[in-house]
Amino acid sequence: MSNNATEDIVINRAESTKIDAVNFDNLVFGEIFTDHMLICDYKQGVWEKPIIQPYAPFLIDPSAKVFHYGQAIFEGMKAYKDDNEDVWLFRPEENYNRFNKSAKRLAMPEVPESVFMDGMKKLLEIEKEWVKKGIGNSLYIRPFMIATGPGVIAAPAKFYRFMIILSPAKAYYSGEVKVIIAEHFSRAANGGIGAAKAAGNYSAQFYPTKLANEMGFQQIIWTDDATHSKLEEAGTMNVFFRINDTLYTAPTSERILDGVTRKSLIDLAKRENINVEVRPVLVEEVIAAAENGTLQEVFGAGTAAVVNPIVGFSYKEKYYELPKLDNPIALDLKKKLTAIQHKVAKDTFGWTVKI
């Protein structure tokens, strides 16, 4: 990070705060936002000076290319507060690097570190009181970029806006999760933008997920686009399978997002001497393991929930219930990872960054 972060950022503080009106014990994920946001515009090939200003709507041209050609990317991160009132980020450089990979894939300008990292740091300093202590409490960070350039010609825009907004969050829990293994729909295809955190990737999931919801399932485990024989992601999360005492997860690719939680869980599992294999996971082997009793756990991994255990899945109209374990690996890894994030356990990996 640069040493002149404050001098490089214009700060216009809100006249009042809405924090006192927020019930931090009863938060719905992603619905409440803090007093301030960061904005930085890209014009004429140059990034302008970042501005931190009160959270509010803004005007945009109806022909802005974000509306017509979907140039929009984002990241999801969290800030945590320890018992000493210090605020910490978790592996922010991973999100920064992935953001710019997404930008490059969608022909958008890369965001300088002085804008992304220093801007986020200053915004968090201003909104420090919105970060609450305690396991499960966090401040969700949403950096994103949209094409603001006008015109309906099918070409990349010339003007963009980078923003960061913040939302207080509690521990994410969606109850028992049952999923369907996809037989027709795919999340992404080779040569596409599946490895980017592009907005269109997520809207494309809404319809097949809606169909799954109507059948009583919460999410879909996506399969590869060509053969539908390889298991790839669960909903909007990376996915792990435990067969006997080995964890399996698919390698990242053009179709699979390089999840920060995913790679952290892999490293943490190896530290705990848990066997991990990163390789293509076949539908047929998971079905066989479910039928012979060796499939122990399936769980999603992502920023919002950290770990989301799956209690059962359906494939070709047959439902497979997973065993109820006394000491599941999924919840043990979640406990250990959240302890590092909240600074109640030693960070042996050097993942946490103090604000």
Side-chain angles (χ1 to χ4, degrees):
M1 296 184 185
S2 65
N3 294 323
N4 60 342
T6 302
E7 290 78 2
D8 290 341
I9 300 171
V10 176
I11 300 173
N12 299 319
R13 289 184 179 267
E15 294 181 358
S16 60
T17 179
K18 57 195 175 197
I19 193 170
D20 294 334
V22 176
N23 182 355
F24 284 89
D25 295 323
N26 187 29
L27 294 169
V28 177
F29 184 81
E31 288 193 359
I32 302 294
F33 296 93
T34 65
D35 298 315
H36 299 86
M37 61 184 184
L38 180 139
I39 293 177
C40 187
D41 287 322
Y42 179 89
K43 297 178 181 179
Q44 308 299 334
V46 176
W47 284 101
E48 298 185 338
K49 185 171 288 191
I51 301 171
I52 292 176
Q53 64 186 51
Y55 184 98
F58 58 90
L59 294 175
I60 186 169
D61 195 290
S63 71
K65 293 197 175 183
V66 63
F67 299 136
H68 303 275
Y69 302 111
Q71 279 187 291
I73 61 172
F74 68 94
E75 274 296 324
M77 311 166 63
K78 285 181 177 179
Y80 309 87
K81 181 176 284 185
D82 65 18
D83 289 338
N84 296 319
E85 301 289 332
D86 291 321
V87 176
W88 298 81
L89 292 169
F90 182 74
R91 307 190 75 174
E93 73 287 346
E94 296 286 346
N95 297 93
Y96 171 67
N97 291 334
R98 188 173 65 184
F99 189 88
N100 277 337
K101 288 179 181 178
S102 298
K104 186 175 181 180
R105 181 60 183 84
L106 270 77
M108 304 170 82
E110 295 184 33
V111 176
E113 184 176 1
S114 59
V115 174
F116 187 106
M117 298 291 273
D118 292 339
M120 178 169 54
K121 178 181 178 181
K122 190 61 186 177
L123 183 61
L124 287 169
E125 287 176 359
I126 291 172
E127 304 288 53
K128 183 177 180 179
E129 295 306 310
W130 287 82
V131 193
K132 299 301 180 183
K133 293 187 295 184
I135 295 291
N137 293 320
S138 64
L139 188 63
Y140 183 76
I141 306 167
R142 172 53 65 91
F144 65 100
M145 178 164 51
I146 59 174
T148 54
V152 294
I153 296 174
K158 296 180 180 179
F159 301 91
Y160 296 87
R161 173 164 286 189
F162 171 74
M163 299 183 65
I164 302 176
I165 56 177
L166 309 173
S167 178
K170 294 287 289 183
Y172 187 93
Y173 178 70
S174 58
E176 291 193 346
V177 176
K178 298 179 181 180
V179 301
I180 294 178
I181 293 178
E183 299 175 49
H184 170 70
F185 293 106
S186 296
R187 176 187 173 274
N190 283 331
I193 57 172
K197 281 191 76 71
N201 284 344
Y202 295 80
S203 60
Q205 297 182 39
F206 293 164
Y207 175 67
T209 302
K210 176 178 178 290
L211 297 180
N213 295 162
E214 291 171 352
M215 291 186 285
F217 298 90
Q218 287 71 48
Q219 288 291 352
I220 297 173
I221 294 185
W222 305 101
T223 50
D224 69 288
D225 64 301
T227 66
H228 294 289
S229 64
K230 300 173 184 177
L231 296 158
E232 300 200 322
E233 293 193 6
T236 59
M237 310 176 78
N238 296 115
V239 64
F240 287 80
F241 304 87
R242 176 188 170 192
I243 299 176
N244 288 319
D245 288 324
T246 298
L247 286 179
Y248 297 89
T249 192
T252 56
S253 67
E254 289 181 305
R255 303 185 308 274
I256 299 176
L257 190 70
D258 187 12
V260 178
T261 304
R262 170 192 173 276
K263 65 178 65 179
S264 303
L265 290 175
I266 291 171
D267 290 344
L268 189 56
K270 290 178 178 179
R271 189 193 74 178
E272 299 298 311
N273 295 315
I274 298 169
N275 293 325
V276 181
E277 290 191 23
V278 179
R279 63 163 176 78
V281 182
L282 302 179
V283 174
E284 62 182 17
E285 69 176 309
V286 170
I287 297 298
E291 291 178 340
N292 65 30
T294 57
L295 181 63
Q296 301 297 303
E297 299 178 64
V298 181
F299 58 92
T303 299
V306 183
V307 167
N308 199 344
I310 293 168
V311 301
F313 64 90
S314 176
Y315 182 64
K316 293 189 181 296
E317 299 184 351
K318 183 176 180 180
Y319 182 70
Y320 299 86
E321 188 84 26
L322 290 165
K324 291 178 170 57
L325 305 178
D326 292 332
N327 298 296
I329 285 176
L331 295 184
D332 183 60
L333 290 176
K334 179 177 183 177
K335 182 179 179 180
K336 288 181 167 63
L337 185 57
T338 53
I340 292 172
Q341 291 170 332
H342 287 272
K343 304 301 290 184
V344 296
K346 186 176 180 180
D347 177 11
T348 60
F349 300 96
W351 287 336
T352 51
V353 175
K354 187 176 178 181
I355 294 298

